[in-house]
PDB file of all heavy atoms in Angstrom:
ATOM      1  N   TYR A 279      24.221-128.351  27.282  1.00 94.00           N
ATOM      2  CA  TYR A 279      23.230-128.584  28.339  1.00 94.00           C
ATOM      3  C   TYR A 279      22.933-130.122  28.475  1.00 94.00           C
ATOM      4  O   TYR A 279      22.936-130.865  27.507  1.00 94.00           O
ATOM      5  CB  TYR A 279      21.931-127.829  28.097  1.00 94.00           C
ATOM      6  CG  TYR A 279      20.893-128.077  29.047  1.00 94.00           C
ATOM      7  CD1 TYR A 279      20.893-127.350  30.286  1.00 94.00           C
ATOM      8  CD2 TYR A 279      19.900-128.997  28.850  1.00 94.00           C
ATOM      9  CE1 TYR A 279      19.869-127.569  31.240  1.00 94.00           C
ATOM     10  CE2 TYR A 279      18.904-129.232  29.802  1.00 94.00           C
ATOM     11  CZ  TYR A 279      18.914-128.559  30.932  1.00 94.00           C
ATOM     12  OH  TYR A 279      17.947-128.743  31.929  1.00 94.00           O
ATOM     13  N   THR A 280      22.713-130.555  29.765  1.00 92.00           N
ATOM     14  CA  THR A 280      22.349-131.917  29.997  1.00 92.00           C
ATOM     15  C   THR A 280      21.419-131.975  31.248  1.00 92.00           C
ATOM     16  O   THR A 280      21.566-131.050  32.176  1.00 92.00           O
ATOM     17  CB  THR A 280      23.561-132.836  30.224  1.00 92.00           C
ATOM     18  OG1 THR A 280      23.116-134.115  30.600  1.00 92.00           O
ATOM     19  CG2 THR A 280      24.473-132.253  31.282  1.00 92.00           C
ATOM     20  N   ASN A 281      20.529-132.990  31.280  1.00 92.00           N
ATOM     21  CA  ASN A 281      19.703-133.175  32.483  1.00 92.00           C
ATOM     22  C   ASN A 281      20.450-133.838  33.635  1.00 92.00           C
ATOM     23  O   ASN A 281      19.973-133.896  34.689  1.00 92.00           O
ATOM     24  CB  ASN A 281      18.450-133.971  32.079  1.00 92.00           C
ATOM     25  CG  ASN A 281      17.519-133.177  31.210  1.00 92.00           C
ATOM     26  OD1 ASN A 281      17.292-131.991  31.453  1.00 92.00           O
ATOM     27  ND2 ASN A 281      16.918-133.823  30.249  1.00 92.00           N
ATOM     28  N   ASN A 282      21.645-134.379  33.308  1.00 93.00           N
ATOM     29  CA  ASN A 282      22.500-134.999  34.352  1.00 93.00           C
ATOM     30  C   ASN A 282      23.118-133.848  35.110  1.00 93.00           C
ATOM     31  O   ASN A 282      24.073-133.246  34.605  1.00 93.00           O
ATOM     32  CB  ASN A 282      23.574-135.878  33.633  1.00 93.00           C
ATOM     33  CG  ASN A 282      24.460-136.560  34.666  1.00 93.00           C
ATOM     34  OD1 ASN A 282      24.710-136.065  35.766  1.00 93.00           O
ATOM     35  ND2 ASN A 282      24.965-137.720  34.283  1.00 93.00           N
ATOM     36  N   ILE A 283      22.566-133.554  36.308  1.00 93.00           N
ATOM     37  CA  ILE A 283      23.047-132.376  37.008  1.00 93.00           C
ATOM     38  C   ILE A 283      24.519-132.404  37.445  1.00 93.00           C
ATOM     39  O   ILE A 283      25.199-131.367  37.414  1.00 93.00           O
ATOM     40  CB  ILE A 283      22.111-132.142  38.288  1.00 93.00           C
ATOM     41  CG1 ILE A 283      22.378-130.705  38.806  1.00 93.00           C
ATOM     42  CG2 ILE A 283      22.353-133.144  39.330  1.00 93.00           C
ATOM     43  CD1 ILE A 283      22.071-129.605  37.922  1.00 93.00           C
ATOM     44  N   SER A 284      25.040-133.601  37.736  1.00 92.00           N
ATOM     45  CA  SER A 284      26.455-133.642  38.097  1.00 92.00           C
ATOM     46  C   SER A 284      27.338-133.282  36.892  1.00 92.00           C
ATOM     47  O   SER A 284      28.311-132.463  37.028  1.00 92.00           O
ATOM     48  CB  SER A 284      26.838-135.092  38.512  1.00 92.00           C
ATOM     49  OG  SER A 284      26.151-135.372  39.741  1.00 92.00           O
ATOM     50  N   LEU A 285      26.959-133.807  35.735  1.00 93.00           N
ATOM     51  CA  LEU A 285      27.724-133.441  34.516  1.00 93.00           C
ATOM     52  C   LEU A 285      27.590-131.981  34.141  1.00 93.00           C
ATOM     53  O   LEU A 285      28.485-131.309  33.679  1.00 93.00           O
ATOM     54  CB  LEU A 285      27.243-134.362  33.346  1.00 93.00           C
ATOM     55  CG  LEU A 285      27.957-134.154  32.032  1.00 93.00           C
ATOM     56  CD1 LEU A 285      29.443-134.381  32.169  1.00 93.00           C
ATOM     57  CD2 LEU A 285      27.403-135.148  30.989  1.00 93.00           C
ATOM     58  N   TYR A 286      26.345-131.526  34.388  1.00 94.00           N
ATOM     59  CA  TYR A 286      26.028-130.089  34.038  1.00 94.00           C
ATOM     60  C   TYR A 286      26.860-129.165  34.886  1.00 94.00           C
ATOM     61  O   TYR A 286      27.470-128.161  34.422  1.00 94.00           O
ATOM     62  CB  TYR A 286      24.545-129.842  34.265  1.00 94.00           C
ATOM     63  CG  TYR A 286      24.054-128.477  33.735  1.00 94.00           C
ATOM     64  CD1 TYR A 286      24.535-127.938  32.563  1.00 94.00           C
ATOM     65  CD2 TYR A 286      23.042-127.792  34.417  1.00 94.00           C
ATOM     66  CE1 TYR A 286      24.050-126.758  32.149  1.00 94.00           C
ATOM     67  CE2 TYR A 286      22.566-126.590  33.928  1.00 94.00           C
ATOM     68  CZ  TYR A 286      23.083-126.064  32.774  1.00 94.00           C
ATOM     69  OH  TYR A 286      22.579-124.861  32.310  1.00 94.00           O
ATOM     70  N   ILE A 287      26.992-129.490  36.184  1.00 94.00           N
ATOM     71  CA  ILE A 287      27.765-128.624  37.123  1.00 94.00           C
ATOM     72  C   ILE A 287      29.270-128.694  36.707  1.00 94.00           C
ATOM     73  O   ILE A 287      29.992-127.666  36.708  1.00 94.00           O
ATOM     74  CB  ILE A 287      27.556-129.068  38.571  1.00 94.00           C
ATOM     75  CG1 ILE A 287      26.152-128.715  39.020  1.00 94.00           C
ATOM     76  CG2 ILE A 287      28.599-128.375  39.482  1.00 94.00           C
ATOM     77  CD1 ILE A 287      25.840-129.349  40.342  1.00 94.00           C
TER      78      ILE A 287
END
Side-chain angles (χ1 to χ4, degrees):
Y279 177 82
T280 174
N281 290 321
N282 181 332
I283 192 60
S284 296
L285 181 57
Y286 190 36
I287 291 172

